[in-house]
Amino acid sequence: MRAWPATLLVVMSAACAATQTPESDAIGDVRAVWTAQVEAWNRGDLEAFMAGYWKSPDLAFFSNGTETRGWQETLDPYRARYQPEGNQMGTLDFPQLDFAMLGAEAALVRGRWHLRMPDGKEFSGMTSVVFRKLPEGWRIVHDHSTS
């Protein structure tokens, strides 16, 4: 009978170690959307990149003193700037990122971005992005990126 408490302790410890918290699951889901966006950008697929954004007229995008509202209104300047006349979009990476939950259905991602264009030009800046858990999954509802 002495083995019972020790066995119970081992089983409970293993169960606790194997389970993730809802917060870590959510951060993993947000990180997966982020990673999919970066991969889409780097293969030149702007539409797949934009799939990480809330497809709504209420999407907010702030950049270098300019406010844009709406999914299509965010896509159009991206297309004009990074895909004119078939130009390549460059290689995007985020050398510094921090993911934080703001509640059960909201997350903040902030950090530094870096873009290297095919002609060798490089751009970088800071970003803070708010994700919300929507029926279609985690989506960016607010993006504030500056160079």
Side-chain angles (χ1 to χ4, degrees), residues 36-116:
Q37 283 189 284
V38 172
E39 290 170 353
W41 183 279
N42 291 338
R43 69 175 180 270
D45 188 345
L46 190 54
E47 285 73 25
F49 171 79
M50 287 297 296
Y53 284 91
W54 184 27
K55 198 165 188 176
S56 165
D58 294 323
L59 169 66
F61 187 89
F62 296 176
S63 180
N64 299 322
T66 302
E67 177 182 352
T68 302
R69 293 284 178 162
W71 185 89
Q72 187 66 48
E73 293 78 3
T74 300
L75 170 62
D76 292 342
Y78 267 131
R79 184 171 283 131
R81 181 168 182 184
Y82 297 106
Q83 284 190 326
E85 301 169 12
N87 287 350
Q88 293 181 355
M89 293 168 42
T91 302
L92 178 64
D93 71 279
F94 293 85
Q96 174 191 346
L97 278 178
D98 178 40
F99 292 78
M101 294 304 298
L102 301 175
E105 297 186 358
L108 172 67
V109 181
R110 58 186 170 212
R112 184 169 298 282
W113 59 268
H114 176 254
L115 179 63
R116 182 179 178 92

Side-chain angles (χ1 to χ4, degrees), residues 19-35:
T19 60
Q20 290 187 314
T21 65
E23 183 174 305
S24 65
D25 287 346
I27 288 175
D29 292 344
V30 169
R31 189 180 301 271
V33 172
W34 193 277
T35 299

